[in-house]
Amino acid sequence: FSGLQAVNSDIAGWIYCEDTSINYPVVKGEDNDFYLDHGYEGTESSSGAIFIEAGNRPDFQDANTIIYGHHMKNGSMFAGLHKYSDVEYMEGHPYVFMYMEDRLYVYEIFAAYEYSNEHLLYNSDYSQKAQFEKYLENMETVRDMGKVIREDVEVGAEDRILTLSTCISNKPNNRFLVQAVLLNGEEVGTADNPD
């Protein structure tokens, strides 16, 4: 991890989703614009980087941490998120792994659906449990024919969730979201290797 931060001090972790191309450093910039067209090293790149919403903390302690990535035509970056629109795929690949400097966070995916480009963080105060509970309830009522919700995964106002967001081809005003709930926060030395 120190080697990664030597490349760029904005690197906050590493995200991995089994059987997808999602296996990248995650950066946290000062705004949501820079890493749209700069790679994790900080150099210009049309594919950008996988980056944390500027309004979130880089330690994944917020109730809802949002991570963005482009949907590249070659299948790279966050294009693999669209696989989770298939319920069988989601059930067979239920975890998101977030490697940090001193710990491994394991999240279980509970939802995948199309959403408007409404800013998720600025429209709700997730630190208020009542508002977070209302958000979770509203999320379940999103009208999307392709929405996949795992009823067997419990999510409540006491939980922390991860929202992965990418674009949708030919729908510039919509986003495809995959959401997962934190299961643990093991220190790296005590966590089992997900591979």
Side-chain angles (χ1 to χ4, degrees):
F1 197 88
S2 60
L4 284 172
Q5 289 209 308
V7 172
N8 184 352
S9 61
D10 284 350
I11 294 175
W14 189 287
I15 189 170
Y16 170 71
C17 296
E18 183 183 10
D19 196 30
T20 72
S21 62
I22 301 170
N23 190 15
Y24 297 104
V26 178
V27 292
K28 169 73 165 61
E30 294 181 6
D31 57 44
N32 289 331
D33 296 325
F34 183 78
Y35 286 109
L36 286 172
D37 56 11
H38 288 77
Y40 72 87
E41 311 94 333
T43 57
E44 287 190 22
S45 169
S46 60
S47 58
I50 305 300
F51 65 96
I52 301 169
E53 155 66 42
N56 278 127
R57 294 162 51 180
D59 59 4
F60 298 87
Q61 296 299 308
D62 292 317
N64 186 6
T65 298
I66 303 162
I67 301 180
Y68 304 107
H70 287 308
H71 174 190
M72 303 303 289
K73 290 180 181 179
N74 66 4
S76 65
M77 305 310 283
F78 266 3
L81 291 182
H82 289 273
K83 291 184 175 186
Y84 294 99
S85 61
D86 180 297
V87 65
E88 290 184 6
Y89 183 87
M90 183 187 289
E91 289 172 350
H93 305 83
Y95 303 113
V96 178
F97 300 95
M98 182 63 63
Y99 295 88
M100 310 288 288
E101 182 175 14
D102 62 348
R103 66 190 58 239
L104 166 64
Y105 287 149
V106 180
Y107 296 83
E108 186 167 15
I109 298 170
F110 65 88
Y113 55 97
E114 188 174 317
Y115 197 69
S116 72
N117 62 357
E118 169 186 306
H119 199 290
L120 292 174
L121 199 61
Y122 298 160
N123 290 321
S124 297
D125 181 1
Y126 299 118
S127 65
Q128 302 295 319
K129 293 198 186 320
Q131 287 193 38
F132 189 41
E133 189 71 46
K134 183 177 179 182
Y135 166 75
L136 292 172
E137 290 172 3
N138 290 341
M139 180 273 298
E140 291 185 11
T141 65
V142 171
R143 296 181 182 273
D144 174 19
M145 295 295 288
K147 179 171 70 172
V148 177
I149 300 284
R150 287 188 56 199
E151 303 291 345
D152 60 321
V153 179
E154 293 184 14
V155 185
E158 301 294 328
D159 290 313
R160 297 204 312 261
I161 67 172
L162 187 66
T163 299
L164 309 179
S165 175
T166 194
C167 44
I168 302 171
S169 300
N170 303 318
K171 291 188 177 181
N173 295 321
N174 291 62
R175 299 291 178 265
F176 187 76
L177 305 181
V178 172
Q179 295 185 302
V181 60
L182 181 65
L183 296 181
N184 71 345
E186 297 287 338
E187 291 185 14
V188 171
T190 62
D192 292 331
N193 189 326
D195 294 335

